[in-house]
Short mmCIF file of all heavy atoms in Angstrom, two decimals:
data_model
loop_
_atom_site.label_atom_id
_atom_site.label_comp_id
_atom_site.label_asym_id
_atom_site.label_seq_id
_atom_site.Cartn_x
_atom_site.Cartn_y
_atom_site.Cartn_z
N MET A 297 22.08 -89.94 19.90
CA MET A 297 21.60 -88.77 19.07
C MET A 297 20.33 -89.11 18.29
O MET A 297 20.06 -90.25 18.01
CB MET A 297 22.77 -88.61 17.97
CG MET A 297 22.38 -87.45 17.03
SD MET A 297 23.83 -86.59 16.50
CE MET A 297 24.29 -87.49 14.99
N GLN A 298 19.58 -88.04 18.12
CA GLN A 298 18.21 -88.13 17.51
C GLN A 298 18.19 -87.16 16.22
O GLN A 298 18.68 -86.10 16.42
CB GLN A 298 17.20 -87.81 18.64
CG GLN A 298 15.88 -88.27 18.14
CD GLN A 298 14.86 -88.33 19.25
OE1 GLN A 298 15.21 -88.68 20.35
NE2 GLN A 298 13.73 -87.75 19.05
N THR A 299 17.34 -87.55 15.37
CA THR A 299 17.10 -86.73 14.20
C THR A 299 15.63 -86.41 14.11
O THR A 299 14.84 -87.34 14.29
CB THR A 299 17.57 -87.48 12.92
OG1 THR A 299 18.88 -87.73 13.09
CG2 THR A 299 17.33 -86.44 11.67
N SER A 300 15.29 -85.23 13.93
CA SER A 300 13.81 -84.77 13.72
C SER A 300 13.73 -83.86 12.58
O SER A 300 14.71 -83.08 12.23
CB SER A 300 13.28 -84.03 14.88
OG SER A 300 13.14 -84.96 16.04
N ILE A 301 12.58 -83.93 11.74
CA ILE A 301 12.35 -83.11 10.62
C ILE A 301 11.22 -82.36 11.05
O ILE A 301 10.22 -82.77 11.46
CB ILE A 301 11.98 -83.91 9.42
CG1 ILE A 301 13.37 -84.74 9.05
CG2 ILE A 301 11.65 -83.08 8.21
CD1 ILE A 301 13.09 -85.75 7.87
N ILE A 302 11.43 -80.99 10.95
CA ILE A 302 10.33 -80.04 11.25
C ILE A 302 9.88 -79.20 10.08
O ILE A 302 10.81 -78.43 9.55
CB ILE A 302 10.85 -79.13 12.49
CG1 ILE A 302 11.05 -79.88 13.70
CG2 ILE A 302 9.66 -78.14 12.82
CD1 ILE A 302 11.67 -79.09 14.82
N PRO A 303 8.68 -79.18 9.58
CA PRO A 303 8.25 -78.43 8.61
C PRO A 303 8.21 -76.94 9.03
O PRO A 303 7.73 -76.69 10.23
CB PRO A 303 6.72 -78.89 8.27
CG PRO A 303 6.67 -80.33 8.84
CD PRO A 303 7.59 -80.28 10.05
N ILE A 304 8.58 -76.03 8.14
CA ILE A 304 8.60 -74.65 8.48
C ILE A 304 7.89 -73.83 7.50
O ILE A 304 8.01 -74.07 6.21
CB ILE A 304 10.00 -74.05 8.54
CG1 ILE A 304 10.76 -74.84 9.77
CG2 ILE A 304 10.10 -72.59 8.84
CD1 ILE A 304 12.17 -74.54 9.68
N LYS A 305 7.02 -72.93 7.87
CA LYS A 305 6.39 -72.02 7.00
C LYS A 305 6.94 -70.54 7.07
O LYS A 305 7.19 -70.10 8.21
CB LYS A 305 4.96 -71.89 7.21
CG LYS A 305 4.00 -71.39 6.13
CD LYS A 305 2.52 -71.49 6.57
CE LYS A 305 1.75 -70.29 5.98
NZ LYS A 305 0.30 -70.34 6.65
N GLY A 306 7.18 -69.94 5.97
CA GLY A 306 7.57 -68.56 5.95
C GLY A 306 9.07 -68.24 5.39
O GLY A 306 9.34 -67.04 5.19
N MET A 307 9.76 -69.37 4.99
CA MET A 307 11.02 -69.05 4.48
C MET A 307 10.94 -68.66 2.96
O MET A 307 10.26 -69.41 2.19
CB MET A 307 11.89 -70.33 4.48
CG MET A 307 12.31 -70.83 5.91
SD MET A 307 13.48 -72.04 5.81
CE MET A 307 12.66 -73.50 5.28
N THR A 308 11.61 -67.62 2.57
CA THR A 308 11.49 -67.15 1.23
C THR A 308 12.68 -67.03 0.49
O THR A 308 12.75 -66.93 -0.72
CB THR A 308 10.57 -65.94 1.07
OG1 THR A 308 11.20 -64.80 1.94
CG2 THR A 308 9.17 -66.10 1.46
N CYS A 309 13.80 -66.92 1.30
CA CYS A 309 15.03 -66.79 0.68
C CYS A 309 16.24 -67.32 1.50
O CYS A 309 16.00 -67.92 2.58
CB CYS A 309 15.46 -65.32 0.33
SG CYS A 309 16.01 -64.30 1.75
N MET A 310 17.37 -67.38 0.92
CA MET A 310 18.58 -67.95 1.67
C MET A 310 18.83 -67.44 3.00
O MET A 310 19.52 -67.89 3.84
CB MET A 310 19.80 -68.11 0.72
CG MET A 310 19.65 -69.26 -0.39
SD MET A 310 19.01 -70.86 0.10
CE MET A 310 20.71 -71.44 1.04
N GLY A 311 18.52 -66.04 3.04
CA GLY A 311 18.71 -65.42 4.33
C GLY A 311 17.77 -65.99 5.44
O GLY A 311 18.28 -66.00 6.50
N CYS A 312 16.61 -66.31 5.14
CA CYS A 312 15.68 -67.02 6.00
C CYS A 312 16.32 -68.26 6.55
O CYS A 312 16.38 -68.60 7.74
CB CYS A 312 14.38 -67.21 5.39
SG CYS A 312 13.35 -65.79 5.02
N VAL A 313 16.85 -69.04 5.53
CA VAL A 313 17.48 -70.36 5.86
C VAL A 313 18.63 -70.17 6.77
O VAL A 313 18.68 -70.91 7.74
CB VAL A 313 18.04 -70.87 4.50
CG1 VAL A 313 18.88 -72.19 4.83
CG2 VAL A 313 16.75 -71.40 3.54
N ARG A 314 19.47 -69.08 6.61
CA ARG A 314 20.58 -68.85 7.39
C ARG A 314 20.07 -68.47 8.81
O ARG A 314 20.76 -68.97 9.81
CB ARG A 314 21.48 -67.69 6.78
CG ARG A 314 22.86 -67.90 7.01
CD ARG A 314 23.77 -66.98 6.19
NE ARG A 314 23.65 -67.26 4.84
CZ ARG A 314 23.15 -66.42 3.92
NH1 ARG A 314 22.86 -65.10 4.23
NH2 ARG A 314 23.09 -66.75 2.57
N SER A 315 19.06 -67.60 8.96
CA SER A 315 18.60 -67.23 10.13
C SER A 315 18.09 -68.45 11.05
O SER A 315 18.48 -68.55 12.23
CB SER A 315 17.28 -66.28 10.17
OG SER A 315 17.59 -65.26 9.34
N ILE A 316 17.54 -69.32 10.41
CA ILE A 316 16.93 -70.42 11.23
C ILE A 316 18.12 -71.40 11.65
O ILE A 316 18.11 -71.91 12.68
CB ILE A 316 15.84 -71.24 10.31
CG1 ILE A 316 14.61 -70.39 10.09
CG2 ILE A 316 15.49 -72.68 10.86
CD1 ILE A 316 13.49 -70.96 9.21
N LYS A 317 18.95 -71.53 10.60
CA LYS A 317 20.17 -72.44 11.02
C LYS A 317 20.97 -71.81 12.12
O LYS A 317 21.17 -72.50 13.19
CB LYS A 317 21.10 -72.52 9.75
CG LYS A 317 22.15 -73.63 9.73
CD LYS A 317 22.76 -73.66 8.47
CE LYS A 317 23.91 -74.74 8.49
NZ LYS A 317 23.35 -76.19 8.74
N ASN A 318 21.02 -70.48 12.09
CA ASN A 318 21.81 -69.84 13.26
C ASN A 318 21.17 -69.95 14.47
O ASN A 318 21.76 -70.34 15.56
CB ASN A 318 22.08 -68.34 12.96
CG ASN A 318 23.11 -68.14 11.93
OD1 ASN A 318 23.92 -68.93 11.72
ND2 ASN A 318 23.03 -66.86 11.30
N VAL A 319 19.85 -69.81 14.68
CA VAL A 319 19.07 -69.75 15.88
C VAL A 319 19.19 -71.25 16.49
O VAL A 319 19.27 -71.38 17.66
CB VAL A 319 17.69 -69.23 15.86
CG1 VAL A 319 17.68 -67.69 15.62
CG2 VAL A 319 16.75 -69.94 14.93
N LEU A 320 18.96 -72.24 15.59
CA LEU A 320 18.91 -73.61 16.00
C LEU A 320 20.31 -74.05 16.43
O LEU A 320 20.33 -74.71 17.47
CB LEU A 320 18.38 -74.44 15.01
CG LEU A 320 17.01 -74.27 14.54
CD1 LEU A 320 16.52 -75.14 13.37
CD2 LEU A 320 16.04 -74.64 15.76
N GLU A 321 21.24 -73.68 15.81
CA GLU A 321 22.74 -74.22 16.12
C GLU A 321 23.18 -73.41 17.41
O GLU A 321 24.22 -73.96 17.92
CB GLU A 321 23.65 -74.01 14.93
CG GLU A 321 23.17 -75.11 13.98
CD GLU A 321 24.08 -75.23 12.76
OE1 GLU A 321 25.11 -74.37 12.67
OE2 GLU A 321 23.78 -76.02 11.84
N GLN A 322 22.51 -72.43 17.98
CA GLN A 322 22.96 -71.73 19.28
C GLN A 322 22.35 -72.63 20.37
O GLN A 322 22.73 -72.32 21.49
CB GLN A 322 22.42 -70.38 19.24
CG GLN A 322 23.37 -69.40 18.62
CD GLN A 322 22.72 -68.09 18.41
OE1 GLN A 322 21.86 -67.69 19.23
NE2 GLN A 322 23.11 -67.34 17.44
N ILE A 323 21.36 -73.48 20.11
CA ILE A 323 20.71 -74.19 21.10
C ILE A 323 21.62 -75.39 21.58
O ILE A 323 22.15 -76.26 20.86
CB ILE A 323 19.41 -74.76 20.72
CG1 ILE A 323 18.45 -73.74 20.34
CG2 ILE A 323 18.77 -75.77 21.85
CD1 ILE A 323 17.16 -74.25 19.72
N PRO A 324 22.00 -75.43 23.01
CA PRO A 324 22.78 -76.41 23.55
C PRO A 324 22.24 -77.78 23.21
O PRO A 324 21.02 -78.05 23.38
CB PRO A 324 22.89 -76.27 24.92
CG PRO A 324 22.65 -74.63 25.01
CD PRO A 324 21.72 -74.49 24.00
N GLY A 325 22.95 -78.84 22.71
CA GLY A 325 22.68 -80.01 22.41
C GLY A 325 22.36 -80.26 20.88
O GLY A 325 22.20 -81.48 20.42
N VAL A 326 22.23 -79.26 20.24
CA VAL A 326 22.05 -79.32 18.66
C VAL A 326 23.38 -79.56 18.08
O VAL A 326 24.34 -78.79 18.19
CB VAL A 326 21.46 -78.08 18.16
CG1 VAL A 326 21.29 -78.14 16.52
CG2 VAL A 326 19.97 -77.97 18.71
N MET A 327 23.56 -80.71 17.36
CA MET A 327 24.87 -80.99 16.75
C MET A 327 24.88 -80.44 15.28
O MET A 327 25.82 -79.94 14.86
CB MET A 327 24.89 -82.59 16.72
CG MET A 327 25.48 -83.05 18.04
SD MET A 327 24.23 -84.30 18.42
CE MET A 327 25.06 -84.76 20.02
N SER A 328 23.72 -80.70 14.50
CA SER A 328 23.79 -80.08 13.11
C SER A 328 22.35 -79.86 12.59
O SER A 328 21.39 -80.38 13.13
CB SER A 328 24.57 -80.99 12.20
OG SER A 328 23.81 -82.29 11.89
N THR A 329 22.28 -79.03 11.59
CA THR A 329 20.98 -78.81 11.05
C THR A 329 21.15 -78.80 9.63
O THR A 329 22.19 -78.28 9.05
CB THR A 329 20.51 -77.37 11.52
OG1 THR A 329 21.17 -76.29 11.02
CG2 THR A 329 20.25 -77.33 13.04
N GLU A 330 19.99 -79.09 8.82
CA GLU A 330 19.99 -78.87 7.35
C GLU A 330 18.67 -78.28 7.10
O GLU A 330 17.68 -78.92 7.32
CB GLU A 330 20.23 -80.23 6.74
CG GLU A 330 20.63 -80.12 5.27
CD GLU A 330 20.70 -81.37 4.65
OE1 GLU A 330 21.52 -82.30 5.12
OE2 GLU A 330 20.09 -81.55 3.60
N VAL A 331 18.76 -77.03 6.59
CA VAL A 331 17.47 -76.31 6.38
C VAL A 331 17.34 -76.43 4.82
O VAL A 331 18.19 -75.92 3.95
CB VAL A 331 17.69 -74.89 6.86
CG1 VAL A 331 16.28 -74.16 6.64
CG2 VAL A 331 18.03 -74.86 8.28
N SER A 332 16.08 -76.81 4.32
CA SER A 332 15.78 -76.80 2.97
C SER A 332 14.77 -75.76 2.65
O SER A 332 13.55 -75.90 3.07
CB SER A 332 15.46 -78.19 2.47
OG SER A 332 14.78 -78.17 1.16
N LEU A 333 15.20 -74.86 1.85
CA LEU A 333 14.13 -73.88 1.33
C LEU A 333 13.16 -74.51 0.47
O LEU A 333 11.87 -74.25 0.54
CB LEU A 333 14.84 -72.81 0.66
CG LEU A 333 14.14 -71.59 0.03
CD1 LEU A 333 13.42 -70.89 1.11
CD2 LEU A 333 15.00 -70.61 -0.62
N GLU A 334 13.56 -75.18 -0.42
CA GLU A 334 12.71 -76.06 -1.45
C GLU A 334 11.72 -76.97 -0.74
O GLU A 334 10.56 -77.02 -1.09
CB GLU A 334 13.56 -76.83 -2.28
CG GLU A 334 12.92 -77.40 -3.65
CD GLU A 334 13.89 -78.11 -4.52
OE1 GLU A 334 14.95 -78.36 -4.06
OE2 GLU A 334 13.33 -78.38 -5.63
N ASP A 335 12.17 -77.66 0.19
CA ASP A 335 11.32 -78.67 0.98
C ASP A 335 10.45 -77.91 2.15
O ASP A 335 9.59 -78.52 2.69
CB ASP A 335 12.00 -79.86 1.33
CG ASP A 335 12.58 -80.68 0.30
OD1 ASP A 335 12.13 -80.59 -0.86
OD2 ASP A 335 13.57 -81.34 0.53
N ALA A 336 10.86 -76.66 2.45
CA ALA A 336 10.29 -76.08 3.59
C ALA A 336 10.40 -76.87 4.90
O ALA A 336 9.21 -77.02 5.54
CB ALA A 336 8.82 -75.56 3.28
N GLN A 337 11.51 -77.16 5.17
CA GLN A 337 11.60 -78.07 6.45
C GLN A 337 13.16 -77.96 6.99
O GLN A 337 14.03 -77.57 6.10
CB GLN A 337 11.31 -79.46 6.25
CG GLN A 337 12.24 -80.15 5.24
CD GLN A 337 11.83 -81.65 4.99
OE1 GLN A 337 10.64 -81.99 5.08
NE2 GLN A 337 12.86 -82.49 4.77
N VAL A 338 13.31 -78.24 8.08
CA VAL A 338 14.68 -78.39 8.69
C VAL A 338 14.84 -79.74 9.26
O VAL A 338 13.87 -80.25 9.99
CB VAL A 338 14.97 -77.23 9.86
CG1 VAL A 338 14.03 -77.39 11.05
CG2 VAL A 338 16.32 -77.41 10.32
N THR A 339 16.00 -80.39 9.10
CA THR A 339 16.42 -81.68 9.71
C THR A 339 17.30 -81.23 10.76
O THR A 339 18.45 -80.62 10.53
CB THR A 339 17.04 -82.48 8.61
OG1 THR A 339 16.05 -82.64 7.52
CG2 THR A 339 17.32 -83.91 9.27
N ILE A 340 17.04 -81.69 11.93
CA ILE A 340 17.96 -81.41 13.06
C ILE A 340 18.51 -82.63 13.75
O ILE A 340 17.75 -83.60 13.98
CB ILE A 340 17.18 -80.61 14.16
CG1 ILE A 340 16.48 -79.38 13.54
CG2 ILE A 340 18.15 -80.05 15.27
CD1 ILE A 340 15.39 -78.71 14.48
N GLN A 341 19.72 -82.58 13.98
CA GLN A 341 20.49 -83.74 14.84
C GLN A 341 20.75 -83.20 16.20
O GLN A 341 21.45 -82.22 16.15
CB GLN A 341 21.62 -84.31 14.03
CG GLN A 341 21.31 -85.10 12.71
CD GLN A 341 22.44 -85.83 12.15
OE1 GLN A 341 23.50 -85.26 11.98
NE2 GLN A 341 22.07 -87.06 11.88
N TYR A 342 20.28 -83.94 17.08
CA TYR A 342 20.61 -83.34 18.53
C TYR A 342 20.62 -84.49 19.49
O TYR A 342 20.25 -85.59 19.21
CB TYR A 342 19.42 -82.41 18.78
CG TYR A 342 18.06 -82.99 18.75
CD1 TYR A 342 17.40 -83.46 19.94
CD2 TYR A 342 17.39 -83.25 17.51
CE1 TYR A 342 16.16 -84.07 19.86
CE2 TYR A 342 16.16 -83.77 17.51
CZ TYR A 342 15.50 -84.17 18.63
OH TYR A 342 14.25 -84.84 18.64
N ASP A 343 21.03 -84.08 20.63
CA ASP A 343 21.07 -84.92 21.82
C ASP A 343 19.77 -84.75 22.53
O ASP A 343 19.49 -83.72 23.21
CB ASP A 343 22.24 -84.53 22.73
CG ASP A 343 22.34 -85.45 23.97
OD1 ASP A 343 21.51 -86.16 24.23
OD2 ASP A 343 23.54 -85.34 24.64
N ALA A 344 18.95 -85.79 22.58
CA ALA A 344 17.59 -85.67 23.13
C ALA A 344 17.62 -85.68 24.65
O ALA A 344 16.63 -85.37 25.31
CB ALA A 344 16.78 -86.93 22.70
N ALA A 345 18.76 -85.78 25.20
CA ALA A 345 18.85 -85.63 26.73
C ALA A 345 18.94 -84.15 27.04
O ALA A 345 18.77 -83.81 28.29
CB ALA A 345 19.96 -86.49 27.22
N ILE A 346 19.36 -83.47 26.15
CA ILE A 346 19.67 -81.97 26.57
C ILE A 346 18.44 -81.01 25.84
O ILE A 346 18.21 -80.08 26.37
CB ILE A 346 20.99 -81.65 25.94
CG1 ILE A 346 22.10 -82.33 26.59
CG2 ILE A 346 21.26 -80.08 26.05
CD1 ILE A 346 23.49 -82.18 25.93
N THR A 347 18.04 -81.42 24.70
CA THR A 347 17.08 -80.44 24.05
C THR A 347 16.05 -81.27 23.23
O THR A 347 16.12 -82.49 23.22
CB THR A 347 17.87 -79.50 23.10
OG1 THR A 347 16.94 -78.43 22.68
CG2 THR A 347 18.47 -80.24 22.01
N GLY A 348 15.11 -80.48 22.66
CA GLY A 348 14.02 -81.26 21.93
C GLY A 348 13.19 -80.38 21.14
O GLY A 348 13.43 -79.10 21.07
N ILE A 349 12.12 -80.87 20.47
CA ILE A 349 11.44 -80.18 19.42
C ILE A 349 10.67 -78.97 20.00
O ILE A 349 10.43 -78.06 19.29
CB ILE A 349 10.45 -81.11 18.59
CG1 ILE A 349 9.58 -81.94 19.67
CG2 ILE A 349 11.29 -82.10 17.75
CD1 ILE A 349 8.53 -82.74 18.77
N ASP A 350 10.20 -79.08 21.26
CA ASP A 350 9.49 -77.87 21.70
C ASP A 350 10.38 -76.60 21.89
O ASP A 350 9.95 -75.54 21.57
CB ASP A 350 9.07 -78.19 23.24
CG ASP A 350 7.85 -79.27 23.22
OD1 ASP A 350 7.24 -79.49 22.20
OD2 ASP A 350 7.62 -79.80 24.32
N GLN A 351 11.68 -76.86 22.20
CA GLN A 351 12.64 -75.74 22.11
C GLN A 351 12.93 -75.30 20.70
O GLN A 351 13.11 -74.12 20.39
CB GLN A 351 13.97 -76.17 22.79
CG GLN A 351 14.24 -75.77 24.25
CD GLN A 351 15.38 -76.30 24.75
OE1 GLN A 351 15.55 -77.56 24.95
NE2 GLN A 351 16.28 -75.40 24.99
N PHE A 352 12.99 -76.36 19.73
CA PHE A 352 13.20 -75.94 18.33
C PHE A 352 12.09 -75.08 17.88
O PHE A 352 12.24 -74.06 17.27
CB PHE A 352 13.37 -77.28 17.52
CG PHE A 352 14.43 -78.06 17.89
CD1 PHE A 352 14.38 -79.54 17.84
CD2 PHE A 352 15.60 -77.68 18.72
CE1 PHE A 352 15.42 -80.33 18.31
CE2 PHE A 352 16.42 -78.45 19.12
CZ PHE A 352 16.36 -79.89 18.87
N LYS A 353 10.80 -75.49 18.16
CA LYS A 353 9.79 -74.77 17.74
C LYS A 353 9.77 -73.39 18.22
O LYS A 353 9.46 -72.40 17.57
CB LYS A 353 8.45 -75.48 18.21
CG LYS A 353 7.04 -74.78 17.88
CD LYS A 353 5.94 -75.49 18.30
CE LYS A 353 4.63 -74.81 18.13
NZ LYS A 353 4.06 -74.65 16.95
N GLN A 354 10.00 -73.17 19.55
CA GLN A 354 10.09 -71.88 20.14
C GLN A 354 11.17 -70.98 19.51
O GLN A 354 10.84 -69.75 19.16
CB GLN A 354 10.48 -72.04 21.62
CG GLN A 354 10.28 -70.83 22.34
CD GLN A 354 10.52 -70.87 23.93
OE1 GLN A 354 10.51 -71.94 24.41
NE2 GLN A 354 10.83 -69.82 24.52
N ALA A 355 12.31 -71.54 19.12
CA ALA A 355 13.38 -70.80 18.59
C ALA A 355 13.08 -70.32 17.08
O ALA A 355 13.27 -69.23 16.66
CB ALA A 355 14.80 -71.60 18.65
N ILE A 356 12.34 -71.25 16.41
CA ILE A 356 12.06 -70.89 15.05
C ILE A 356 10.85 -69.90 14.92
O ILE A 356 10.93 -68.99 14.24
CB ILE A 356 11.49 -72.12 14.36
CG1 ILE A 356 12.63 -73.23 14.08
CG2 ILE A 356 10.74 -71.86 12.99
CD1 ILE A 356 12.17 -74.71 13.78
N GLU A 357 9.89 -69.88 16.04
CA GLU A 357 8.86 -68.95 16.07
C GLU A 357 9.47 -67.64 16.50
O GLU A 357 8.92 -66.57 16.09
CB GLU A 357 7.71 -69.46 16.81
CG GLU A 357 7.26 -70.73 15.93
CD GLU A 357 5.87 -71.27 16.29
OE1 GLU A 357 5.35 -70.91 17.49
OE2 GLU A 357 5.31 -71.97 15.42
N GLU A 358 10.29 -67.54 17.45
CA GLU A 358 11.05 -66.41 17.89
C GLU A 358 11.74 -65.57 16.69
O GLU A 358 11.87 -64.47 16.67
CB GLU A 358 11.95 -66.60 19.01
CG GLU A 358 11.19 -66.62 20.37
CD GLU A 358 12.15 -67.11 21.49
OE1 GLU A 358 13.30 -67.17 21.34
OE2 GLU A 358 11.63 -67.20 22.61
N ALA A 359 12.20 -66.47 15.81
CA ALA A 359 12.91 -65.95 14.60
C ALA A 359 11.91 -65.41 13.56
O ALA A 359 12.41 -64.82 12.58
CB ALA A 359 13.80 -67.01 14.08
N GLY A 360 10.64 -65.66 13.67
CA GLY A 360 9.65 -65.12 12.90
C GLY A 360 9.12 -66.00 11.89
O GLY A 360 8.38 -65.64 10.81
N PHE A 361 9.26 -67.37 12.10
CA PHE A 361 8.69 -68.30 11.16
C PHE A 361 7.77 -69.14 11.90
O PHE A 361 7.61 -69.14 13.13
CB PHE A 361 9.74 -69.23 10.51
CG PHE A 361 10.85 -68.37 10.01
CD1 PHE A 361 11.98 -67.86 10.54
CD2 PHE A 361 10.74 -67.96 8.55
CE1 PHE A 361 12.97 -67.03 9.96
CE2 PHE A 361 11.69 -67.20 7.97
CZ PHE A 361 12.72 -66.70 8.70
N GLU A 362 6.98 -70.07 11.18
CA GLU A 362 6.04 -70.94 11.80
C GLU A 362 6.67 -72.34 11.67
O GLU A 362 6.99 -72.87 10.66
CB GLU A 362 4.65 -70.86 11.05
CG GLU A 362 3.52 -70.70 12.00
CD GLU A 362 2.21 -70.69 11.26
OE1 GLU A 362 2.12 -70.02 10.16
OE2 GLU A 362 1.34 -71.41 11.55
N ALA A 363 6.62 -73.08 12.77
CA ALA A 363 7.12 -74.36 12.86
C ALA A 363 5.94 -75.28 13.18
O ALA A 363 5.08 -75.08 14.04
CB ALA A 363 8.19 -74.58 13.96
N PHE A 364 5.93 -76.35 12.49
CA PHE A 364 4.79 -77.41 12.67
C PHE A 364 5.36 -78.74 13.27
O PHE A 364 5.93 -79.59 12.78
CB PHE A 364 4.13 -77.74 11.28
CG PHE A 364 3.52 -76.46 10.62
CD1 PHE A 364 4.34 -75.70 9.85
CD2 PHE A 364 2.24 -76.09 10.94
CE1 PHE A 364 3.76 -74.52 9.34
CE2 PHE A 364 1.65 -74.97 10.29
CZ PHE A 364 2.48 -74.17 9.53
N ILE A 365 4.87 -78.96 14.58
CA ILE A 365 5.40 -80.02 15.22
C ILE A 365 4.03 -80.67 15.91
O ILE A 365 3.05 -80.03 16.05
CB ILE A 365 6.46 -79.81 16.38
CG1 ILE A 365 5.97 -78.83 17.41
CG2 ILE A 365 7.67 -79.35 15.64
CD1 ILE A 365 6.76 -78.89 18.66
MO1 9UX B 590 15.37 -62.83 2.63
MO2 9UX B 590 13.98 -63.96 4.96
O1 9UX B 590 15.72 -61.17 2.23
O2 9UX B 590 13.11 -63.27 6.38
S1 9UX B 590 16.02 -63.16 4.81
S2 9UX B 590 13.12 -62.97 2.96
#
């Protein structure tokens, strides 16, 4: 298991937080996420053999936010 922290731009309310959490937790290999509105970032725990930050970035951007990796 691996943990990555990805800064995110564009979150303005708890609805945004929920959206990001939902899209990330649908990705196979993602075990848990913690999205912080205050810190503008997400912490993701995942199986690095199955998924990774490129996929996380894509999912975050498809949801309408900007991910900095
Ligand atoms: Mo809140 Mo975020 O009403 O896109 S869900 S701003």
Side-chain angles (χ1 to χ4, degrees):
M297 183 146 88
Q298 189 162 325
T299 303
S300 292
I301 298 175
I302 301 176
I304 297 175
K305 196 174 147 189
M307 292 191 291
T308 55
C309 82
M310 287 311 287
C312 298
V313 169
R314 211 166 300 122
S315 302
I316 289 173
K317 200 173 173 65
N318 285 343
V319 295
L320 291 173
E321 290 185 357
Q322 277 170 25
I323 298 171
V326 173
M327 282 128 183
S328 71
T329 65
E330 196 181 307
V331 185
S332 170
L333 181 60
E334 195 181 6
D335 298 335
Q337 66 181 29
V338 58
T339 305
I340 310 173
Q341 290 192 309
Y342 60 98
D343 182 344
I346 297 173
T347 189
I349 57 173
D350 290 338
Q351 262 179 290
F352 304 152
K353 179 182 169 72
Q354 192 182 336
I356 291 165
E357 297 195 340
E358 278 172 6
F361 304 91
E362 225 180 318
F364 298 90
I365 61 165

